[in-house]
Amino acid sequence: MVEVTAESKYMDLLNEYPLLKTDLVRANPKFKFLVTPMGKISLWESNLEEVSQSAEMTVEETVNLFNELIDSY
């Protein structure tokens, strides 16, 4: 299992866990932009701290959400 932290790379997690793409949008509609082709390009090198800003969540909430979803797989 991958350790998810604020420094984890967003695209690395999506590549490792493809179900995150749809599950994130279900959990928070703000993630819809992040899984579009333009969102992927703009966030290619982003970590979860940067992603949390786009999703309008705290870093802690974002990391917890990723951990919860990954743990469910």
Side-chain angles (χ1 to χ4, degrees), residues 10-28:
Y10 175 68
M11 288 307 296
D12 289 347
L13 293 171
L14 286 186
N15 289 332
E16 183 76 22
Y17 302 98
L19 292 175
L20 280 174
K21 293 174 188 173
T22 54
D23 292 343
L24 285 169
V25 175
R26 282 188 203 133
N28 180 346

Side-chain angles (χ1 to χ4, degrees), residues 1-2 4 10 13-14 16-29 31 34-35 48 51 55 57 60-73:
M1 181 183 316
V2 174
V4 179
Y10 175 68
L13 293 171
L14 286 186
E16 183 76 22
Y17 302 98
L19 292 175
L20 280 174
K21 293 174 188 173
T22 54
D23 292 343
L24 285 169
V25 175
R26 282 188 203 133
N28 180 346
F31 280 103
L34 303 176
V35 296
L48 292 189
V51 167
M57 297 173 68
E60 184 177 316
E61 290 171 330
T62 303
V63 170
N64 288 340
L65 176 59
F66 273 77
N67 276 316
E68 288 171 16
L69 290 173
I70 290 169
D71 287 346
S72 73
Y73 302 143

Side-chain angles (χ1 to χ4, degrees), residues 20-56:
L20 280 174
K21 293 174 188 173
T22 54
D23 292 343
L24 285 169
V25 175
R26 282 188 203 133
N28 180 346
K30 300 264 185 208
F31 280 103
K32 188 171 185 172
F33 168 77
L34 303 176
V35 296
T36 64
M38 184 55 123
K40 288 179 186 178
I41 291 169
S42 66
L43 295 168
W44 185 256
E45 291 296 318
S46 297
N47 60 31
L48 292 189
E49 183 175 359
E50 296 160 326
V51 167
S52 67
Q53 294 170 359
S54 296
E56 298 178 10

